[in-house]
């Protein structure tokens, strides 16, 4: 019995000693700061090569533009920078993190550049100021004219480090512009820089879409009188007609695997959605209704297609199952819903709705719930298309001055900015896949 | 013996329900904010944690009493003129002869003499004066720059204070305390304070969010408010989210106030409130 008592007492003592101190349990269900405080220093010349401040300034402007558009960051005012900003220290032990922490920065971008023999080399680092850890480091080499491309590519890398997914800044946007007097196909950077005309049809070119697997585009052109579907290789410039059925061959969209094209054909006098092979042969008819069915857009899985139909009276968004051909209605509000675009990340579909003669961009969940209006105001905002990462939308904006232009915004409708230059009457944008 | 051991082991779970093994229960996050200027107390009174502490400065007001002093000052002024009118009376007869004599003499003599001594004296004086002036100017500049520096620091401090006390109480002139406070001390509870402080150190963007990440971290603070150590009780399986928590913890290494005692906190981090907003 005596042994038992001792044994029991021992167990009690061990239990008491091992039991953790009373911990208060609390829940924090929202961060206090909903942007990442980031400091970005100006590129400094490396080595003995001549300094070209214009290179550093251009790089800074492009990278800053991309990071601001992302909405992720609260950029520290360079006026507050201390001495470390003037030092080219790209290694952890060369950086005075305390200075950056004093400024409230949690992230720090530092970099240097070297120009030798007409070749530009840029070294960049992203540090975690709090843990004093290198998050990402890159060295890019190219021509002097590649500085913008390098800035976009590093912006994508910064987003990958801080979100787990690359940004879309080093991609391209195709659009239709009337700056030559005819509606032609153009290509530009995501920030509107370097617009390049791709077609010279001297007719009407419409509805471009990028191949997910190759550097090529499909579009509709009236150059042979009939609205036919064309394919164009971007770098070789080679062009061919893919579909030239009588009547409409419009709204072509590549499937996510790039093997098929969903297209509106009116060869049988009524516009219906069809699936075509990339050689133009018809694989399947997806809709069969006396109403007008146009504007197909693939789900990221490639098993469903959203399209516009007036089968219930007014134009609305419907979804057809590619395998069962079952059609379900997606939008019920509004009298005119058009140009659906399915997010490449799934979940939401963007479209434009006309109210009182003005179009605005909306998004809705693919189950028809949680409809949100993203744009407001007097000018018509149409033809929304998603960035490849689903973070942004590009659309055309018809401001009241009668000039259509291409705009870009975050997927929640914030951060809208004009990217195309004046005087083009630009419309029908399409965002490329990873370039 | 085996039976006894078995019985004792069975007893252990039952023992855990005894009052000295406290039960953990998660506190629902309060809907109020905490003004971090408020003092941490052990037994907070009933009140609002976001309320601004009232400074009892009206005691200083009696200083306004000396203000009437200026009224006293004029008093000595009037007596001064009184003797003046008395003094001039005997003076007027004296100056009359004096005024006549010096006028011609003074007009001729002082003119050549004065210019001679002036340069000799004034050069030294001038140099001294210039030195003094330069010193004064330098001192003035130093004082001005020092003042500007102090002003800048004061402005920064004021901005920081304004930032920290940016939380407005929905109830005007509410006493500082806790909504469920039953004590008698004006201040906030350590739990509410730590929750607010760590939340403010946590940066995470909705554009970084994927899914509904949740992690649980245990933090151990000593009574001085210094973080002794921490451990993840549950990771979120989202490294970006967990990294943001590590940064928040690193920034919370030292609390701005002492705690009533050494304490540990089990904190559940998630994005429920942030993601609920459209």
């Amino acid at each position: 019995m005596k042994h038992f008592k001792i044994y029991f007492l021992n167990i009690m003592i061990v239990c008491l000693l091992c039991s953790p101190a009373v911990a208060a349990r609390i829940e924090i269900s929202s961060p206090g700061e909903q942007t990442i405080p980031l400091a970005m220093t100006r590129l400094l010349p490396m080595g003995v090569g001549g300094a070209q401040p214009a290179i550093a300034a251009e790089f800074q402007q492009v990278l800053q533009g991309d990071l601001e558009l992302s909405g992720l960051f609260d950029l520290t005012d360079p006026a507050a920078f201390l001495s470390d900003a003037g030092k080219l220290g790209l290694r952890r032990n060369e950086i005075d993190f305390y200075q950056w922490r004093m400024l409230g920065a949690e992230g720090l971008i530092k970099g240097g550049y070297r120009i030798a023999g007409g070749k530009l080399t840029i070294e960049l680092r992203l540090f975690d100021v709090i843990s004093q850890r290198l998050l990402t480091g890159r060295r890019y080499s190219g021509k002097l004219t590649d500085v913008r491309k390098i800035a976009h590519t590093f912006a994508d890398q910064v987003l990958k480090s801080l979100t787990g997914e690359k940004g879309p800044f080093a991609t391209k946007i195709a659009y239709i512009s009337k700056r030559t007097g005819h509606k032609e196909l153009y290509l530009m950077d995501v920030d509107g820089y370097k617009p390049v005309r791709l077609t010279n049809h001297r007719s009407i070119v419409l509805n471009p879409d990028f191949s997910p697997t190759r550097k090529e585009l499909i579009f509709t052109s009236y150059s042979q009188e009939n609205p036919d579907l064309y394919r164009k290789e971007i770098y070789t410039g080679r062009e061919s007609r893919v579909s030239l059925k009588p009547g409409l061959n419009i709204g072509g969209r590549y499937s996510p695997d790039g093997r098929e094209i969903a297209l509106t054909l009116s060869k049988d006098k009524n516009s219906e959605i069809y699936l075509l092979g990339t050689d133009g042969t018809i694989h399947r008819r997806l809709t069969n209704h006396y109403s007008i069915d146009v504007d197909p857009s693939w789900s990221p899985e490639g098993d469903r297609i959203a399209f516009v139909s007036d089968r219930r009276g007014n134009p609305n968004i419907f979804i057809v199952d590619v395998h069962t051909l079952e059609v379900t209605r997606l939008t019920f509000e509004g009298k005119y819903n058009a140009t659906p675009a399915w997010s490449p990340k799934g979940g939401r579909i963007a479209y434009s709705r006309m109210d009182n003669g003005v179009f605005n961009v909306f998004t809705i969940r693919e189950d028809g719930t949680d409809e949100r209006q993203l744009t407001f105001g007097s000018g018509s905002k149409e033809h929304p298309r998603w960035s490849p990462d689903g973070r942004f939308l590009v659309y055309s904006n018809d401001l009241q001055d009668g000039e259509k232009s291409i705009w870009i915004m975050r997927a929640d409708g914030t951060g809208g900015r004009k990217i195309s230059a004046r005087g083009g009457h630009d419309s029908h944008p399409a965002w490329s896949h990873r370039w | 013996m085996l039976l006894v051991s078995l019985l004792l082991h069975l007893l252990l779970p039952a023992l855990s329900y005894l009052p000295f093994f406290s039960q953990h229960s998660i506190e629902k996050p309060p809907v109020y904010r905490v003004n971090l200027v408020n003092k941490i107390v052990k037994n907070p009174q009933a009140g609002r944690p976001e309320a601004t502490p009232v400074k009892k400065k009206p005691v200083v007001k009696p200083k306004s009493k000396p203000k009437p002093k200026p009224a006293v000052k004029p008093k000595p002024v009037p007596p001064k003129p009184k003797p003046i009118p008395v003094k001039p009376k005997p003076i007027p007869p004296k100056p009359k002869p004096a005024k006549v004599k010096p006028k011609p003499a003074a007009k001729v003599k002082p003119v050549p003499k004065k210019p001679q001594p002036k340069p000799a004296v004034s050069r030294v004086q001038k140099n001294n004066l210039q030195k003094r002036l330069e010193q004064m100017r330098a001192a003035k500049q130093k004082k001005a720059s020092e003042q500007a520096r102090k002003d800048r620091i004061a402005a920064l401090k004021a901005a920081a204070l304004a930032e920290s006390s940016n939380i407005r109480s929905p109830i005007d002139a509410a006493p500082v305390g806790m909504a469920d406070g039953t004590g008698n001390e004006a201040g906030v509870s350590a739990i509410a304070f730590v929750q607010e402080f760590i939340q403010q150190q946590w940066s995470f963007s909705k554009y970084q969010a994927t899914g509904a990440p949740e992690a649980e971290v245990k933090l151990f603070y000593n009574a001085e408010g210094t973080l002794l150590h921490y451990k993840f009780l549950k990771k979120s399986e989202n490294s970006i989210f967990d990294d943001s928590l590590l940064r928040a913890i690193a920034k919370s290494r030292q609390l701005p106030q002492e705690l009533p005692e050494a304490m540990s906190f089990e904190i559940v981090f998630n994005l429920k409130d942030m993601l609920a907003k459209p």
Side-chain angles (χ1 to χ4, degrees):
Chain A
M1 195 61 193
K2 193 182 173 186
H3 287 293
F4 174 73
K5 275 182 181 172
I6 292 166
Y7 185 55
F8 183 74
L9 201 69
N10 282 340
I11 285 176
M12 290 290 286
I13 289 164
V14 167
C15 285
L16 279 169
L17 289 174
C18 293
S19 70
V22 182
R25 274 176 72 84
I26 47 185
E27 182 177 3
I28 298 177
S29 50
S30 172
E33 192 72 54
Q34 296 192 7
T35 47
I36 302 165
L38 179 78
M40 188 172 74
T41 62
R42 186 169 271 243
L43 284 188
L44 294 171
M46 298 187 295
V48 281
Q52 286 205 21
I55 295 274
E58 189 171 19
F59 179 88
Q60 174 103 357
Q61 178 237 324
V62 176
L63 182 59
Q64 189 171 329
D66 289 349
L67 297 181
E68 278 174 353
L69 179 66
S70 76
L72 268 168
F73 305 103
D74 176 16
L75 293 176
T76 309
D77 184 0
F81 286 178
L82 302 170
S83 61
D84 192 66
K87 291 176 195 161
L88 178 75
L90 298 181
R91 289 189 197 143
R92 258 185 66 194
N93 54 2
E94 294 169 340
I95 294 167
D96 186 353
F97 286 104
Y98 181 71
Q99 282 189 14
W100 297 106
R101 203 167 160 172
M102 264 172 61
L103 297 174
E106 287 194 9
L108 169 67
I109 292 174
K110 290 197 96 175
Y113 68 99
R114 183 187 303 117
I115 299 162
K119 198 177 125 186
L120 171 70
T121 304
I122 299 183
E123 285 216 29
L124 295 152
R125 304 284 184 274
L126 169 67
F127 292 99
D128 182 331
V129 171
I130 308 300
S131 64
Q132 304 188 1
R133 204 158 48 97
L134 175 70
L135 296 176
T136 188
R138 288 284 184 277
R139 176 188 290 170
Y140 301 98
S141 293
K143 289 177 278 181
L144 289 181
T145 49
D146 288 335
V147 63
R148 298 185 73 91
K149 194 177 168 188
I150 293 172
H152 286 310
T153 309
F154 187 65
D156 287 351
Q157 195 57 39
V158 170
L159 259 62
K160 184 170 170 54
S161 294
L162 295 171
T163 67
E165 180 162 13
K166 262 189 169 184
F169 303 114
T171 55
K172 299 278 181 187
I173 288 172
Y175 62 107
I176 305 301
S177 181
K178 216 180 164 184
R179 41 196 84 227
T180 58
H182 300 284
K183 286 193 168 183
E184 301 284 3
L185 178 63
Y186 283 73
L187 193 69
M188 64 181 172
D189 288 352
V190 169
D191 54 3
Y193 189 78
K194 227 163 64 180
V196 179
R197 184 161 55 84
L198 296 181
T199 60
N200 189 20
H201 285 205
R202 296 165 188 267
S203 173
I204 299 170
V205 174
L206 291 169
N207 268 320
D209 191 52
F210 282 93
S211 162
T213 52
R214 283 179 288 191
K215 302 278 189 292
E216 64 178 42
L217 284 151
I218 49 171
F219 56 90
T220 296
S221 172
Y222 283 76
S223 68
Q224 304 288 322
E225 303 297 325
N226 193 58
D228 297 332
L229 186 73
Y230 285 72
R231 176 176 50 227
K232 185 162 189 93
E233 291 177 18
I234 292 167
Y235 289 120
T236 63
R238 256 183 295 192
E239 198 176 286
S240 59
R241 272 197 289 178
V242 179
S243 176
L244 48 153
K245 309 280 182 299
L248 299 173
N249 296 262
I250 57 166
R253 295 285 185 273
Y254 275 107
S255 61
D257 61 6
R259 289 181 181 167
E260 287 185 308
I261 296 167
L263 183 74
T264 299
L265 298 176
S266 65
K267 62 184 181 62
D268 300 321
K269 308 296 175 200
N270 186 42
S271 52
E272 302 286 354
I273 311 286
Y274 288 81
L275 285 189
L276 271 67
T278 50
D279 59 354
T281 54
I282 293 175
H283 284 183
R284 207 171 179 198
R285 179 172 172 167
L286 293 182
T287 60
N288 193 355
H289 201 275
Y290 58 83
S291 62
I292 295 168
D293 298 332
V294 289
D295 285 340
S297 177
W298 292 85
S299 69
E301 297 81 20
D303 56 348
R304 287 167 295 165
I305 287 176
F307 65 99
V308 178
S309 176
D310 63 351
R311 60 185 65 197
R312 295 282 183 272
N314 297 318
N316 266 300
I317 315 288
F318 290 80
I319 292 173
V320 60
D321 187 303
V322 172
H323 305 298
T324 65
L325 303 187
E326 189 190 340
V327 175
T328 50
R329 186 172 173 177
L330 183 74
T331 57
F332 290 86
E333 300 294 320
K335 289 180 180 171
Y336 198 117
N337 295 302
T339 60
W342 209 309
S343 165
K345 292 290 157 193
R348 296 194 83 80
I349 294 167
Y351 58 95
S352 52
R353 171 185 296 166
M354 189 176 71
D355 278 321
N356 302 319
V358 175
F359 278 101
N360 269 300
V361 177
F362 287 70
T363 61
I364 192 167
R365 276 199 194 138
E366 54 191 43
D367 62 2
T369 61
D370 193 23
E371 188 177 70
R372 293 179 192 177
Q373 183 170 354
L374 302 188
T375 63
F376 300 85
S378 52
S380 271
K381 289 97 182 168
E382 292 176 86
H383 312 119
R385 300 292 293 271
W386 296 87
S387 62
D389 58 354
R391 285 186 175 111
F392 306 97
L393 284 160
V394 64
Y395 58 97
S396 64
N397 191 349
D398 189 358
L399 293 171
Q400 278 184 321
D401 57 2
E403 160 105 6
K404 267 192 183 180
S405 49
I406 307 297
W407 286 58
I408 200 170
M409 67 180 172
R410 289 175 210 125
D412 60 3
T414 59
R417 61 166 79 159
K418 185 182 169 180
I419 55 166
S420 64
R422 265 195 79 80
H425 207 72
D426 307 323
S427 63
H428 292 88
W431 208 313
S432 80
H433 297 264
R434 300 270 176 224
W435 206 247
Chain B
M1 199 62 195
L2 270 171
L3 186 70
V4 171
S5 172
L6 182 73
L7 281 169
L8 283 169
H9 277 88
L10 286 172
L11 244 168
L12 280 173
L15 277 170
S16 68
Y17 287 95
L18 289 174
F20 49 83
F21 290 100
S22 66
Q23 298 300 306
H24 293 173
S25 61
I26 191 153
E27 284 180 20
K28 190 140 175 63
V31 289
Y32 47 77
R33 302 287 306 274
V34 178
N35 190 336
L36 296 178
V37 174
N38 289 333
K39 208 179 148 191
I40 300 174
V41 292
K42 208 167 185 180
N43 300 305
Q45 65 184 11
R48 303 287 307 182
E50 74 280 354
T52 315
V54 183
K55 287 173 187 170
K56 289 178 180 176
K57 271 190 173 176
V59 189
V60 187
K61 276 183 179 174
K63 275 182 180 174
S64 56
K65 278 177 185 173
K67 274 179 185 173
K69 273 179 184 173
V72 184
K73 275 176 186 171
K75 278 176 187 173
V77 179
K80 275 177 185 172
K82 276 175 188 174
I84 295 162
V86 181
K87 279 174 186 172
K89 275 176 187 174
I91 296 163
K94 282 174 186 172
K96 271 177 187 175
K99 269 179 188 173
V100 183
K101 282 175 186 174
K103 266 180 188 173
K107 269 179 189 173
V108 187
K109 283 175 186 174
V111 176
K113 277 177 187 174
K114 274 177 188 171
Q116 281 175 349
K118 262 184 185 172
V121 180
S122 66
R123 267 178 204 161
V124 180
Q125 278 180 339
K126 230 179 184 178
N127 286 339
N128 286 339
L129 265 170
Q130 268 180 344
K131 271 181 189 173
R132 266 186 212 169
L133 272 168
E134 275 166 18
Q135 278 174 350
M136 278 171 76
R137 257 183 231 143
K140 211 176 177 183
Q141 273 179 350
K142 203 179 171 186
K143 211 177 175 183
S145 65
E146 185 66 17
Q147 189 58 41
R149 197 182 69 85
K150 276 180 183 172
D151 288 349
R152 231 178 299 143
I153 291 167
L156 282 170
K157 275 183 182 171
L161 190 70
E163 187 86 0
S164 67
S165 57
N166 209 6
I167 308 154
R168 264 197 77 183
S169 178
I171 302 159
D172 287 334
V176 174
M178 295 300 297
D180 55 353
T182 52
N184 52 2
E185 294 175 85
V188 296
S189 74
I191 295 172
F193 186 93
V194 168
Q195 180 176 6
E196 179 72 36
F197 182 75
I198 293 177
Q199 186 176 19
Q200 285 194 13
Q201 308 311 310
W202 182 26
S203 308
F204 194 79
S205 167
K206 64 178 175 178
Y207 302 115
Q208 291 176 288
T210 47
E214 185 170 281
E216 201 173 332
V217 189
K218 192 166 184 178
L219 305 169
F220 299 83
Y221 280 97
N222 65 15
E224 283 76 46
T226 307
L227 183 67
L228 300 175
H229 65 103
Y230 69 90
K231 63 177 177 184
F232 269 87
L233 301 177
K234 191 189 104 186
K235 287 206 170 190
S236 71
E237 295 177 0
N238 176 341
S239 61
I240 305 288
F241 182 82
D242 292 343
D243 282 353
S244 76
L245 301 184
L246 283 174
R247 282 195 291 272
I249 293 164
K251 285 165 79 180
S252 309
R253 245 176 232 158
Q254 182 61 55
L255 299 175
Q257 288 190 42
E258 290 183 354
L259 295 170
E261 59 190 334
M263 293 179 83
S264 59
F265 302 89
E266 284 179 13
I267 306 178
V268 176
F269 290 93
N270 57 46
L271 303 172
K272 280 180 198 166
D273 282 354
M274 186 174 86
L275 297 179
K277 286 177 194 167

